[in-house]
Amino acid sequence: MRPERSPTRRQLNTLVQVIFIATCAAPLHASGNCDPRAFGAKGDGISKDTLAIQAAIDACEESGGGTVQLSAGTYMTAPIELKSNIILRLDKGAILLGSSDHQDYPPRTEFRLPDLQPLVSAKNSINITVIGEGVIDGAGDNWWQEARNIKDLCILGAGHPRPKLNVFDHCKHIVVEDVTVQNSPMWQLVPYYSDDVVIRNVRILAPPHSPNTDAVDLFSSSHVIIDHVFADVGDDDVAVKSGTINSPGPDSPSRDIIITDCTFLHGHGLSVGSEIAGGAQNILAERIHFEGTDNGIRIKANRDRGNDVGHLVFREIEMKNVKNALVISEYYPNILPAGNETTHPVTRLTPHFHDITLENVTASGSETAAIIVGLPEAPISRVTLRHVNISARKGITVGYADVSGDDVVVHVDDGQPITKIDGAKVTIR
C-alpha cells in the first residue's frame, strides 16, 4: 500500500476548524446549583468532605445536571466521581485537596490494568466541565517518596499503582478551563478513550523531580484541544498515548489533536508515545515555548508498544536550554540502538513513524540537536525540516530514517552538524 502524503497547511487549518466547531457545539449543562456546604462540607482542610461533595454531585445529576460550586476553602477529600451534565466550579481560593491516607484510594481497574481510583474521575459520561480559579491538589508527596524506591515504577501494571489526579474514561464533551492542577501522585490530567476534549488556560504543576507527574496524558482520545497550558512538572508536559506495553489489543488511536500557545518549563517535553500500541495521527502543535525541559519534541516507541504514528506537524516552536531538542526514536527507553541492529519480524506492535514535519523551529543551549533513528524493519519515513535553527553541543544523528530539509542551520560545539549511521537517507540544505 502506498503511504499517505503529509497533510497540507490547508488540510491542517481545516482540522482546526472542524475541532473548533465540534467543541463549540457541545450541549449546554442544566442550570441547577448544588452547594456541597449545604450537604455538610466544611472546607476547613481538616475534615474529610468526600461524602458531602459526592452528595452534591449526585443531587445535581438527579435533577438533570448543574453546577457543584466550591467556594473559598480547603476541601479535603477521598476520590469523587463526576457525572453527566455536571459543572464542577472551583472559586478563587477554593482548594480540592486529595487525602494523604493511601487507604482512601480503593483498588479498581484503570486502563485495563490493576490500579487505584483517581481523585476526580468520570466514566461513560457526557458534558462535564471543570472550571474556575481554584486548585485541585493531589497531595502527592508521600506517594512520590514511596515510588522513588521502586524499580520500574514508571511502567503501567508493574504492581505498584498510584492514583492519578483527574481521569475522564470513555467520556464526551469535556472542558477543563482556568483551574490549577498540581501535585498528583502520578499522571495529572488524563482523557482516556474520550472524545471532544478542551483543556484551556490551565496551570499544571509538580516539583521537577516528582516521578511520573505528567501534566496531560491523552490516551486513545480524539478531537482534543490543548490551548494556553502552562506546565512545570516532573515528567512529560504533554504525552499522546494509546495502548500499553505488550498490549493484546484492540487499541484505538489518539488522533485529531491541536496543541497551541503553551509554555513548558521543567518536565520531559511534548511526547508522542511511548505506549502507542493504538497509534496516533493528525497532531498539530504550534507556538510552543520550551525552557529548561529535558526534551523538546519527542516521538518514541519500541517493538513492544508501537503502531502507525503519522501526520504530525510542529511549527513556530521555541526552545531554550532544552537538553534534547528533537528525539524521534523507535528504541525507547533508549534513544540509540545498543549495538549492531538486526531486522526483526514485523508484528502488530512494530512502530511505523511517518510524515513528521517541523517548521520554524529555533533551539539554543541544547546538549543534542536531534536524534532520528528507526528500526531496520520499520524505517522512519518522510521527516521534513523547514526553517530550523538549532545551537547545541552535538548535532543531528540519523539512522534508518528518511529526512529532508530546507533552510536548516545546526551550530555545534563538537563533531559534525549531521551524522549518518546505518540506513540514513538525508537531504538537507
Side-chain angles (χ1 to χ4, degrees), residues 130-132 134 136 166 175-182 188-189 198-205 215-216 225-232 237 261-264:
V130 179
I131 196 169
I136 301 175
N166 303 272
V175 176
V176 181
E177 190 167 18
D178 296 333
V179 296
T180 295
V181 176
Q182 63 188 31
Q188 309 222 50
L189 190 52
V198 177
I199 301 168
R200 179 178 287 130
N201 294 330
V202 173
R203 292 173 61 85
I204 307 177
L205 310 174
V216 180
I225 293 175
I226 299 173
D227 176 60
H228 284 88
V229 167
F230 177 94
D232 188 356
D237 296 279
D261 298 292
C262 295
T263 297
F264 301 146

PDB file of all heavy atoms in Angstrom, residues 130-132 134 136 166 175-182 188-189 198-205 215-216 225-232 237 261-264:
ATOM      1  N   VAL A 130     -14.903  21.274  34.253  1.00  0.00           N
ATOM      2  CA  VAL A 130     -14.184  21.625  35.486  1.00  0.00           C
ATOM      3  C   VAL A 130     -13.606  23.012  35.238  1.00  0.00           C
ATOM      4  O   VAL A 130     -12.797  23.195  34.323  1.00  0.00           O
ATOM      5  CB  VAL A 130     -13.083  20.611  35.813  1.00  0.00           C
ATOM      6  CG1 VAL A 130     -12.336  21.022  37.081  1.00  0.00           C
ATOM      7  CG2 VAL A 130     -13.656  19.214  35.965  1.00  0.00           C
ATOM      8  N   ILE A 131     -14.020  23.979  36.030  1.00  0.00           N
ATOM      9  CA  ILE A 131     -13.718  25.367  35.705  1.00  0.00           C
ATOM     10  C   ILE A 131     -13.530  26.179  36.970  1.00  0.00           C
ATOM     11  O   ILE A 131     -13.967  25.786  38.050  1.00  0.00           O
ATOM     12  CB  ILE A 131     -14.855  25.957  34.828  1.00  0.00           C
ATOM     13  CG1 ILE A 131     -14.420  27.258  34.150  1.00  0.00           C
ATOM     14  CG2 ILE A 131     -16.132  26.144  35.644  1.00  0.00           C
ATOM     15  CD1 ILE A 131     -15.386  27.729  33.074  1.00  0.00           C
ATOM     16  N   GLY A 132     -12.879  27.325  36.835  1.00  0.00           N
ATOM     17  CA  GLY A 132     -12.742  28.250  37.951  1.00  0.00           C
ATOM     18  C   GLY A 132     -11.301  28.598  38.222  1.00  0.00           C
ATOM     19  O   GLY A 132     -10.380  28.088  37.585  1.00  0.00           O
ATOM     20  N   GLY A 134      -9.800  28.102  41.105  1.00  0.00           N
ATOM     21  CA  GLY A 134      -9.321  27.328  42.238  1.00  0.00           C
ATOM     22  C   GLY A 134      -8.291  26.279  41.859  1.00  0.00           C
ATOM     23  O   GLY A 134      -7.771  26.254  40.737  1.00  0.00           O
ATOM     24  N   ILE A 136      -6.937  22.057  42.188  1.00  0.00           N
ATOM     25  CA  ILE A 136      -7.076  20.633  42.510  1.00  0.00           C
ATOM     26  C   ILE A 136      -5.686  20.132  42.856  1.00  0.00           C
ATOM     27  O   ILE A 136      -4.786  20.142  42.000  1.00  0.00           O
ATOM     28  CB  ILE A 136      -7.676  19.837  41.348  1.00  0.00           C
ATOM     29  CG1 ILE A 136      -9.050  20.383  40.970  1.00  0.00           C
ATOM     30  CG2 ILE A 136      -7.775  18.353  41.713  1.00  0.00           C
ATOM     31  CD1 ILE A 136      -9.666  19.729  39.750  1.00  0.00           C
ATOM     32  N   ASN A 166      -6.924  13.359  37.740  1.00  0.00           N
ATOM     33  CA  ASN A 166      -8.187  13.580  37.029  1.00  0.00           C
ATOM     34  C   ASN A 166      -8.242  12.642  35.829  1.00  0.00           C
ATOM     35  O   ASN A 166      -7.384  12.733  34.938  1.00  0.00           O
ATOM     36  CB  ASN A 166      -8.276  15.017  36.515  1.00  0.00           C
ATOM     37  CG  ASN A 166      -8.146  16.061  37.602  1.00  0.00           C
ATOM     38  OD1 ASN A 166      -9.112  16.461  38.216  1.00  0.00           O
ATOM     39  ND2 ASN A 166      -6.912  16.508  37.825  1.00  0.00           N
ATOM     40  N   VAL A 175     -14.637  19.790  29.199  1.00  0.00           N
ATOM     41  CA  VAL A 175     -13.930  21.062  29.252  1.00  0.00           C
ATOM     42  C   VAL A 175     -13.249  21.191  30.605  1.00  0.00           C
ATOM     43  O   VAL A 175     -13.885  21.024  31.648  1.00  0.00           O
ATOM     44  CB  VAL A 175     -14.884  22.252  29.041  1.00  0.00           C
ATOM     45  CG1 VAL A 175     -14.130  23.574  29.200  1.00  0.00           C
ATOM     46  CG2 VAL A 175     -15.549  22.186  27.669  1.00  0.00           C
ATOM     47  N   VAL A 176     -11.948  21.485  30.574  1.00  0.00           N
ATOM     48  CA  VAL A 176     -11.202  21.838  31.790  1.00  0.00           C
ATOM     49  C   VAL A 176     -10.583  23.201  31.512  1.00  0.00           C
ATOM     50  O   VAL A 176      -9.780  23.345  30.586  1.00  0.00           O
ATOM     51  CB  VAL A 176     -10.113  20.794  32.115  1.00  0.00           C
ATOM     52  CG1 VAL A 176      -9.373  21.191  33.394  1.00  0.00           C
ATOM     53  CG2 VAL A 176     -10.718  19.399  32.269  1.00  0.00           C
ATOM     54  N   GLU A 177     -10.958  24.203  32.311  1.00  0.00           N
ATOM     55  CA  GLU A 177     -10.568  25.565  31.966  1.00  0.00           C
ATOM     56  C   GLU A 177     -10.284  26.395  33.208  1.00  0.00           C
ATOM     57  O   GLU A 177     -11.015  26.332  34.203  1.00  0.00           O
ATOM     58  CB  GLU A 177     -11.685  26.218  31.149  1.00  0.00           C
ATOM     59  CG  GLU A 177     -11.307  27.545  30.524  1.00  0.00           C
ATOM     60  CD  GLU A 177     -12.317  28.000  29.486  1.00  0.00           C
ATOM     61  OE1 GLU A 177     -13.457  27.469  29.493  1.00  0.00           O
ATOM     62  OE2 GLU A 177     -11.990  28.874  28.678  1.00  0.00           O
ATOM     63  N   ASP A 178      -9.176  27.131  33.163  1.00  0.00           N
ATOM     64  CA  ASP A 178      -8.803  28.159  34.145  1.00  0.00           C
ATOM     65  C   ASP A 178      -8.276  27.623  35.475  1.00  0.00           C
ATOM     66  O   ASP A 178      -7.663  28.371  36.236  1.00  0.00           O
ATOM     67  CB  ASP A 178      -9.979  29.107  34.435  1.00  0.00           C
ATOM     68  CG  ASP A 178     -10.396  29.896  33.209  1.00  0.00           C
ATOM     69  OD1 ASP A 178      -9.550  30.124  32.322  1.00  0.00           O
ATOM     70  OD2 ASP A 178     -11.583  30.267  33.118  1.00  0.00           O
ATOM     71  N   VAL A 179      -8.483  26.367  35.797  1.00  0.00           N
ATOM     72  CA  VAL A 179      -8.067  25.854  37.101  1.00  0.00           C
ATOM     73  C   VAL A 179      -6.560  25.600  37.136  1.00  0.00           C
ATOM     74  O   VAL A 179      -5.883  25.545  36.106  1.00  0.00           O
ATOM     75  CB  VAL A 179      -8.817  24.547  37.458  1.00  0.00           C
ATOM     76  CG1 VAL A 179     -10.296  24.805  37.611  1.00  0.00           C
ATOM     77  CG2 VAL A 179      -8.560  23.470  36.413  1.00  0.00           C
ATOM     78  N   THR A 180      -6.060  25.425  38.357  1.00  0.00           N
ATOM     79  CA  THR A 180      -4.698  24.937  38.581  1.00  0.00           C
ATOM     80  C   THR A 180      -4.786  23.493  39.062  1.00  0.00           C
ATOM     81  O   THR A 180      -5.569  23.179  39.961  1.00  0.00           O
ATOM     82  CB  THR A 180      -3.964  25.793  39.630  1.00  0.00           C
ATOM     83  OG1 THR A 180      -3.799  27.121  39.109  1.00  0.00           O
ATOM     84  CG2 THR A 180      -2.591  25.211  39.953  1.00  0.00           C
ATOM     85  N   VAL A 181      -4.013  22.635  38.440  1.00  0.00           N
ATOM     86  CA  VAL A 181      -3.966  21.214  38.784  1.00  0.00           C
ATOM     87  C   VAL A 181      -2.542  20.920  39.227  1.00  0.00           C
ATOM     88  O   VAL A 181      -1.587  21.236  38.503  1.00  0.00           O
ATOM     89  CB  VAL A 181      -4.360  20.353  37.571  1.00  0.00           C
ATOM     90  CG1 VAL A 181      -4.222  18.879  37.887  1.00  0.00           C
ATOM     91  CG2 VAL A 181      -5.790  20.675  37.119  1.00  0.00           C
ATOM     92  N   GLN A 182      -2.364  20.286  40.386  1.00  0.00           N
ATOM     93  CA  GLN A 182      -0.998  20.153  40.876  1.00  0.00           C
ATOM     94  C   GLN A 182      -0.814  18.952  41.807  1.00  0.00           C
ATOM     95  O   GLN A 182      -1.763  18.441  42.400  1.00  0.00           O
ATOM     96  CB  GLN A 182      -0.567  21.420  41.607  1.00  0.00           C
ATOM     97  CG  GLN A 182      -1.365  21.747  42.857  1.00  0.00           C
ATOM     98  CD  GLN A 182      -1.035  23.119  43.430  1.00  0.00           C
ATOM     99  OE1 GLN A 182      -0.694  24.045  42.713  1.00  0.00           O
ATOM    100  NE2 GLN A 182      -1.133  23.242  44.744  1.00  0.00           N
ATOM    101  N   GLN A 188      -1.564  13.630  35.867  1.00  0.00           N
ATOM    102  CA  GLN A 188      -2.408  14.670  36.447  1.00  0.00           C
ATOM    103  C   GLN A 188      -3.752  14.866  35.742  1.00  0.00           C
ATOM    104  O   GLN A 188      -4.783  15.015  36.396  1.00  0.00           O
ATOM    105  CB  GLN A 188      -1.641  16.001  36.478  1.00  0.00           C
ATOM    106  CG  GLN A 188      -0.259  15.843  37.129  1.00  0.00           C
ATOM    107  CD  GLN A 188       0.100  16.972  38.061  1.00  0.00           C
ATOM    108  OE1 GLN A 188      -0.679  17.341  38.931  1.00  0.00           O
ATOM    109  NE2 GLN A 188       1.288  17.513  37.897  1.00  0.00           N
ATOM    110  N   LEU A 189      -3.757  14.883  34.430  1.00  0.00           N
ATOM    111  CA  LEU A 189      -4.988  15.144  33.691  1.00  0.00           C
ATOM    112  C   LEU A 189      -5.040  14.180  32.516  1.00  0.00           C
ATOM    113  O   LEU A 189      -4.233  14.274  31.584  1.00  0.00           O
ATOM    114  CB  LEU A 189      -4.990  16.589  33.212  1.00  0.00           C
ATOM    115  CG  LEU A 189      -6.257  17.185  32.611  1.00  0.00           C
ATOM    116  CD1 LEU A 189      -7.457  16.977  33.515  1.00  0.00           C
ATOM    117  CD2 LEU A 189      -6.048  18.676  32.357  1.00  0.00           C
ATOM    118  N   VAL A 198     -11.553  19.789  25.596  1.00  0.00           N
ATOM    119  CA  VAL A 198     -10.875  21.085  25.576  1.00  0.00           C
ATOM    120  C   VAL A 198     -10.195  21.300  26.922  1.00  0.00           C
ATOM    121  O   VAL A 198     -10.837  21.243  27.975  1.00  0.00           O
ATOM    122  CB  VAL A 198     -11.865  22.237  25.303  1.00  0.00           C
ATOM    123  CG1 VAL A 198     -11.132  23.575  25.358  1.00  0.00           C
ATOM    124  CG2 VAL A 198     -12.542  22.062  23.949  1.00  0.00           C
ATOM    125  N   ILE A 199      -8.896  21.548  26.878  1.00  0.00           N
ATOM    126  CA  ILE A 199      -8.117  21.880  28.075  1.00  0.00           C
ATOM    127  C   ILE A 199      -7.492  23.239  27.794  1.00  0.00           C
ATOM    128  O   ILE A 199      -6.621  23.365  26.928  1.00  0.00           O
ATOM    129  CB  ILE A 199      -7.035  20.813  28.355  1.00  0.00           C
ATOM    130  CG1 ILE A 199      -7.683  19.446  28.554  1.00  0.00           C
ATOM    131  CG2 ILE A 199      -6.195  21.197  29.561  1.00  0.00           C
ATOM    132  CD1 ILE A 199      -6.694  18.292  28.550  1.00  0.00           C
ATOM    133  N   ARG A 200      -7.943  24.254  28.504  1.00  0.00           N
ATOM    134  CA  ARG A 200      -7.573  25.626  28.123  1.00  0.00           C
ATOM    135  C   ARG A 200      -7.282  26.478  29.359  1.00  0.00           C
ATOM    136  O   ARG A 200      -7.978  26.392  30.373  1.00  0.00           O
ATOM    137  CB  ARG A 200      -8.709  26.250  27.309  1.00  0.00           C
ATOM    138  CG  ARG A 200      -8.454  27.689  26.874  1.00  0.00           C
ATOM    139  CD  ARG A 200      -9.592  28.240  26.030  1.00  0.00           C
ATOM    140  NE  ARG A 200      -9.584  27.650  24.698  1.00  0.00           N
ATOM    141  CZ  ARG A 200     -10.651  27.103  24.117  1.00  0.00           C
ATOM    142  NH1 ARG A 200     -11.794  27.032  24.779  1.00  0.00           N
ATOM    143  NH2 ARG A 200     -10.563  26.607  22.905  1.00  0.00           N
ATOM    144  N   ASN A 201      -6.241  27.296  29.248  1.00  0.00           N
ATOM    145  CA  ASN A 201      -5.882  28.247  30.310  1.00  0.00           C
ATOM    146  C   ASN A 201      -5.709  27.539  31.657  1.00  0.00           C
ATOM    147  O   ASN A 201      -6.175  28.008  32.699  1.00  0.00           O
ATOM    148  CB  ASN A 201      -6.940  29.346  30.447  1.00  0.00           C
ATOM    149  CG  ASN A 201      -7.015  30.226  29.220  1.00  0.00           C
ATOM    150  OD1 ASN A 201      -6.024  30.422  28.520  1.00  0.00           O
ATOM    151  ND2 ASN A 201      -8.198  30.740  28.930  1.00  0.00           N
ATOM    152  N   VAL A 202      -5.013  26.419  31.623  1.00  0.00           N
ATOM    153  CA  VAL A 202      -4.817  25.605  32.826  1.00  0.00           C
ATOM    154  C   VAL A 202      -3.345  25.622  33.210  1.00  0.00           C
ATOM    155  O   VAL A 202      -2.463  25.541  32.347  1.00  0.00           O
ATOM    156  CB  VAL A 202      -5.302  24.158  32.583  1.00  0.00           C
ATOM    157  CG1 VAL A 202      -4.956  23.260  33.751  1.00  0.00           C
ATOM    158  CG2 VAL A 202      -6.809  24.136  32.323  1.00  0.00           C
ATOM    159  N   ARG A 203      -3.080  25.713  34.509  1.00  0.00           N
ATOM    160  CA  ARG A 203      -1.724  25.578  35.043  1.00  0.00           C
ATOM    161  C   ARG A 203      -1.611  24.193  35.674  1.00  0.00           C
ATOM    162  O   ARG A 203      -2.468  23.798  36.480  1.00  0.00           O
ATOM    163  CB  ARG A 203      -1.430  26.653  36.099  1.00  0.00           C
ATOM    164  CG  ARG A 203      -1.358  28.059  35.522  1.00  0.00           C
ATOM    165  CD  ARG A 203      -1.234  29.097  36.630  1.00  0.00           C
ATOM    166  NE  ARG A 203      -0.021  28.908  37.413  1.00  0.00           N
ATOM    167  CZ  ARG A 203       1.181  29.391  37.082  1.00  0.00           C
ATOM    168  NH1 ARG A 203       1.339  30.061  35.956  1.00  0.00           N
ATOM    169  NH2 ARG A 203       2.224  29.190  37.871  1.00  0.00           N
ATOM    170  N   ILE A 204      -0.536  23.477  35.330  1.00  0.00           N
ATOM    171  CA  ILE A 204      -0.340  22.123  35.852  1.00  0.00           C
ATOM    172  C   ILE A 204       1.063  22.066  36.440  1.00  0.00           C
ATOM    173  O   ILE A 204       2.057  22.259  35.719  1.00  0.00           O
ATOM    174  CB  ILE A 204      -0.538  21.070  34.755  1.00  0.00           C
ATOM    175  CG1 ILE A 204      -1.896  21.282  34.063  1.00  0.00           C
ATOM    176  CG2 ILE A 204      -0.456  19.667  35.352  1.00  0.00           C
ATOM    177  CD1 ILE A 204      -2.166  20.342  32.919  1.00  0.00           C
ATOM    178  N   LEU A 205       1.156  21.777  37.730  1.00  0.00           N
ATOM    179  CA  LEU A 205       2.402  21.958  38.464  1.00  0.00           C
ATOM    180  C   LEU A 205       2.758  20.725  39.287  1.00  0.00           C
ATOM    181  O   LEU A 205       1.885  20.026  39.800  1.00  0.00           O
ATOM    182  CB  LEU A 205       2.279  23.158  39.413  1.00  0.00           C
ATOM    183  CG  LEU A 205       1.748  24.469  38.822  1.00  0.00           C
ATOM    184  CD1 LEU A 205       1.547  25.499  39.927  1.00  0.00           C
ATOM    185  CD2 LEU A 205       2.699  25.005  37.759  1.00  0.00           C
ATOM    186  N   ALA A 215       1.805  16.139  33.000  1.00  0.00           N
ATOM    187  CA  ALA A 215       0.760  17.155  33.084  1.00  0.00           C
ATOM    188  C   ALA A 215      -0.516  16.689  32.389  1.00  0.00           C
ATOM    189  O   ALA A 215      -1.572  16.595  33.004  1.00  0.00           O
ATOM    190  CB  ALA A 215       1.257  18.469  32.489  1.00  0.00           C
ATOM    191  N   VAL A 216      -0.436  16.407  31.090  1.00  0.00           N
ATOM    192  CA  VAL A 216      -1.591  15.945  30.321  1.00  0.00           C
ATOM    193  C   VAL A 216      -1.212  14.672  29.582  1.00  0.00           C
ATOM    194  O   VAL A 216      -0.226  14.658  28.838  1.00  0.00           O
ATOM    195  CB  VAL A 216      -2.065  16.999  29.303  1.00  0.00           C
ATOM    196  CG1 VAL A 216      -3.273  16.479  28.531  1.00  0.00           C
ATOM    197  CG2 VAL A 216      -2.398  18.316  29.994  1.00  0.00           C
ATOM    198  N   ILE A 225      -8.360  19.693  22.044  1.00  0.00           N
ATOM    199  CA  ILE A 225      -7.660  20.975  22.001  1.00  0.00           C
ATOM    200  C   ILE A 225      -6.969  21.191  23.347  1.00  0.00           C
ATOM    201  O   ILE A 225      -7.606  21.119  24.400  1.00  0.00           O
ATOM    202  CB  ILE A 225      -8.623  22.135  21.730  1.00  0.00           C
ATOM    203  CG1 ILE A 225      -9.196  22.040  20.305  1.00  0.00           C
ATOM    204  CG2 ILE A 225      -7.926  23.479  21.918  1.00  0.00           C
ATOM    205  CD1 ILE A 225     -10.240  23.079  19.991  1.00  0.00           C
ATOM    206  N   ILE A 226      -5.667  21.447  23.279  1.00  0.00           N
ATOM    207  CA  ILE A 226      -4.888  21.844  24.460  1.00  0.00           C
ATOM    208  C   ILE A 226      -4.360  23.239  24.153  1.00  0.00           C
ATOM    209  O   ILE A 226      -3.514  23.411  23.270  1.00  0.00           O
ATOM    210  CB  ILE A 226      -3.737  20.862  24.730  1.00  0.00           C
ATOM    211  CG1 ILE A 226      -4.287  19.466  25.005  1.00  0.00           C
ATOM    212  CG2 ILE A 226      -2.878  21.340  25.893  1.00  0.00           C
ATOM    213  CD1 ILE A 226      -3.208  18.402  25.119  1.00  0.00           C
ATOM    214  N   ASP A 227      -4.846  24.231  24.861  1.00  0.00           N
ATOM    215  CA  ASP A 227      -4.578  25.622  24.489  1.00  0.00           C
ATOM    216  C   ASP A 227      -4.189  26.436  25.719  1.00  0.00           C
ATOM    217  O   ASP A 227      -4.859  26.371  26.747  1.00  0.00           O
ATOM    218  CB  ASP A 227      -5.830  26.218  23.825  1.00  0.00           C
ATOM    219  CG  ASP A 227      -5.663  27.684  23.507  1.00  0.00           C
ATOM    220  OD1 ASP A 227      -4.756  28.034  22.742  1.00  0.00           O
ATOM    221  OD2 ASP A 227      -6.454  28.485  24.049  1.00  0.00           O
ATOM    222  N   HIS A 228      -3.085  27.185  25.597  1.00  0.00           N
ATOM    223  CA  HIS A 228      -2.618  28.051  26.681  1.00  0.00           C
ATOM    224  C   HIS A 228      -2.496  27.278  27.997  1.00  0.00           C
ATOM    225  O   HIS A 228      -3.030  27.667  29.035  1.00  0.00           O
ATOM    226  CB  HIS A 228      -3.547  29.256  26.860  1.00  0.00           C
ATOM    227  CG  HIS A 228      -3.356  30.307  25.808  1.00  0.00           C
ATOM    228  ND1 HIS A 228      -4.033  30.273  24.606  1.00  0.00           N
ATOM    229  CD2 HIS A 228      -2.550  31.398  25.768  1.00  0.00           C
ATOM    230  CE1 HIS A 228      -3.666  31.313  23.870  1.00  0.00           C
ATOM    231  NE2 HIS A 228      -2.761  32.009  24.538  1.00  0.00           N
ATOM    232  N   VAL A 229      -1.779  26.186  27.924  1.00  0.00           N
ATOM    233  CA  VAL A 229      -1.481  25.400  29.122  1.00  0.00           C
ATOM    234  C   VAL A 229      -0.060  25.718  29.574  1.00  0.00           C
ATOM    235  O   VAL A 229       0.881  25.695  28.769  1.00  0.00           O
ATOM    236  CB  VAL A 229      -1.646  23.889  28.855  1.00  0.00           C
ATOM    237  CG1 VAL A 229      -1.038  23.065  29.988  1.00  0.00           C
ATOM    238  CG2 VAL A 229      -3.118  23.546  28.691  1.00  0.00           C
ATOM    239  N   PHE A 230       0.096  26.011  30.843  1.00  0.00           N
ATOM    240  CA  PHE A 230       1.403  26.210  31.461  1.00  0.00           C
ATOM    241  C   PHE A 230       1.706  24.973  32.285  1.00  0.00           C
ATOM    242  O   PHE A 230       0.960  24.639  33.212  1.00  0.00           O
ATOM    243  CB  PHE A 230       1.387  27.449  32.362  1.00  0.00           C
ATOM    244  CG  PHE A 230       2.681  27.695  33.093  1.00  0.00           C
ATOM    245  CD1 PHE A 230       3.641  28.538  32.558  1.00  0.00           C
ATOM    246  CD2 PHE A 230       2.938  27.083  34.311  1.00  0.00           C
ATOM    247  CE1 PHE A 230       4.839  28.769  33.231  1.00  0.00           C
ATOM    248  CE2 PHE A 230       4.124  27.296  34.997  1.00  0.00           C
ATOM    249  CZ  PHE A 230       5.083  28.152  34.452  1.00  0.00           C
ATOM    250  N   ALA A 231       2.779  24.268  31.930  1.00  0.00           N
ATOM    251  CA  ALA A 231       3.131  23.030  32.638  1.00  0.00           C
ATOM    252  C   ALA A 231       4.552  23.124  33.158  1.00  0.00           C
ATOM    253  O   ALA A 231       5.485  23.452  32.411  1.00  0.00           O
ATOM    254  CB  ALA A 231       2.980  21.824  31.719  1.00  0.00           C
ATOM    255  N   ASP A 232       4.711  22.809  34.434  1.00  0.00           N
ATOM    256  CA  ASP A 232       6.021  22.781  35.089  1.00  0.00           C
ATOM    257  C   ASP A 232       5.974  21.577  36.025  1.00  0.00           C
ATOM    258  O   ASP A 232       5.485  21.661  37.153  1.00  0.00           O
ATOM    259  CB  ASP A 232       6.237  24.083  35.861  1.00  0.00           C
ATOM    260  CG  ASP A 232       7.648  24.230  36.405  1.00  0.00           C
ATOM    261  OD1 ASP A 232       8.450  23.283  36.241  1.00  0.00           O
ATOM    262  OD2 ASP A 232       7.944  25.278  37.009  1.00  0.00           O
ATOM    263  N   ASP A 237       5.301  16.939  29.762  1.00  0.00           N
ATOM    264  CA  ASP A 237       4.391  18.078  29.864  1.00  0.00           C
ATOM    265  C   ASP A 237       3.092  17.771  29.135  1.00  0.00           C
ATOM    266  O   ASP A 237       2.012  18.094  29.628  1.00  0.00           O
ATOM    267  CB  ASP A 237       5.070  19.321  29.296  1.00  0.00           C
ATOM    268  CG  ASP A 237       6.299  19.700  30.109  1.00  0.00           C
ATOM    269  OD1 ASP A 237       6.142  20.332  31.156  1.00  0.00           O
ATOM    270  OD2 ASP A 237       7.422  19.320  29.704  1.00  0.00           O
ATOM    271  N   ASP A 261      -0.049  27.457  21.798  1.00  0.00           N
ATOM    272  CA  ASP A 261       0.253  28.562  22.709  1.00  0.00           C
ATOM    273  C   ASP A 261       0.492  28.089  24.141  1.00  0.00           C
ATOM    274  O   ASP A 261      -0.067  28.617  25.104  1.00  0.00           O
ATOM    275  CB  ASP A 261      -0.878  29.590  22.674  1.00  0.00           C
ATOM    276  CG  ASP A 261      -1.036  30.209  21.292  1.00  0.00           C
ATOM    277  OD1 ASP A 261      -0.132  30.950  20.872  1.00  0.00           O
ATOM    278  OD2 ASP A 261      -2.037  29.906  20.620  1.00  0.00           O
ATOM    279  N   CYS A 262       1.357  27.090  24.276  1.00  0.00           N
ATOM    280  CA  CYS A 262       1.664  26.518  25.591  1.00  0.00           C
ATOM    281  C   CYS A 262       3.078  26.879  26.014  1.00  0.00           C
ATOM    282  O   CYS A 262       3.959  27.123  25.176  1.00  0.00           O
ATOM    283  CB  CYS A 262       1.503  25.002  25.562  1.00  0.00           C
ATOM    284  SG  CYS A 262      -0.186  24.435  25.285  1.00  0.00           S
ATOM    285  N   THR A 263       3.305  26.862  27.318  1.00  0.00           N
ATOM    286  CA  THR A 263       4.634  27.063  27.890  1.00  0.00           C
ATOM    287  C   THR A 263       4.961  25.873  28.767  1.00  0.00           C
ATOM    288  O   THR A 263       4.193  25.527  29.668  1.00  0.00           O
ATOM    289  CB  THR A 263       4.680  28.355  28.729  1.00  0.00           C
ATOM    290  OG1 THR A 263       4.422  29.479  27.884  1.00  0.00           O
ATOM    291  CG2 THR A 263       6.056  28.525  29.378  1.00  0.00           C
ATOM    292  N   PHE A 264       6.122  25.256  28.492  1.00  0.00           N
ATOM    293  CA  PHE A 264       6.561  24.098  29.250  1.00  0.00           C
ATOM    294  C   PHE A 264       7.919  24.414  29.872  1.00  0.00           C
ATOM    295  O   PHE A 264       8.872  24.723  29.157  1.00  0.00           O
ATOM    296  CB  PHE A 264       6.686  22.864  28.349  1.00  0.00           C
ATOM    297  CG  PHE A 264       5.403  22.476  27.652  1.00  0.00           C
ATOM    298  CD1 PHE A 264       5.437  21.919  26.381  1.00  0.00           C
ATOM    299  CD2 PHE A 264       4.175  22.665  28.261  1.00  0.00           C
ATOM    300  CE1 PHE A 264       4.260  21.554  25.730  1.00  0.00           C
ATOM    301  CE2 PHE A 264       2.994  22.309  27.627  1.00  0.00           C
ATOM    302  CZ  PHE A 264       3.032  21.754  26.346  1.00  0.00           C
TER     303      PHE A 264
END
